[in-house]
Amino acid sequence: MRQLFTSEVKENLVRQAIAKNDVFKEEDIANLPDPVQKFFTNAGYLGRKMMANAELAWKDVYLKTSPDKDWAKIECYQYNAVAEPTRMVYMKSHVAF
């Protein structure tokens, strides 16, 4: 499963590649709700390089599948993409859910 996750992330990176020089412009956020526009403006994103994707890894995380079960340690890898909204998650644990 980890190989499949990695393969799908690589395919998505190729499919959603954006130009390296793209920067956030006011017209990019013009259709977003006012609070979101204010966030991008106040956070200083306008004029900065546009982000295409992010990979996150949590290696010391615990998950409880129900109130009467013990906490299970998991590893979680998450990939997010912007151009074509995508989120893929791979979770590894040694317990059956």
Side-chain angles (χ1 to χ4, degrees):
M1 289 302 292
R2 178 68 191 259
Q3 257 184 324
L4 177 61
F5 173 77
T6 302
S7 172
E8 289 184 2
V9 167
K10 286 179 183 177
E11 287 175 22
N12 198 275
L13 284 168
V14 170
R15 190 173 67 249
Q16 295 202 42
I18 65 169
K20 293 182 181 181
N21 296 328
D22 284 352
V23 296
F24 277 106
K25 299 179 277 310
E26 287 194 34
E27 57 262 26
D28 294 324
I29 63 172
N31 294 326
L32 297 174
D34 285 339
V36 178
Q37 289 184 41
K38 286 178 184 175
F39 169 78
F40 278 106
T41 302
N42 294 336
Y45 283 102
L46 294 178
R48 295 182 83 191
K49 183 178 174 184
M50 198 176 279
M51 296 162 286
N53 55 59
E55 280 188 79
L56 306 156
W58 295 276
K59 297 196 177 197
D60 193 22
V61 178
Y62 293 85
L63 179 71
K64 197 168 184 82
T65 57
S66 71
D68 58 330
K69 300 260 180 152
D70 289 334
W71 288 95
K73 185 174 181 179
I74 64 169
E75 289 182 23
C76 183
Y77 303 90
Q78 181 177 327
Y79 166 81
N80 302 303
V82 177
E84 178 185 317
T86 304
R87 175 172 290 153
M88 292 185 261
V89 177
Y90 172 79
M91 293 171 51
K92 179 181 175 183
S93 177
H94 295 287
V95 297
F97 290 100

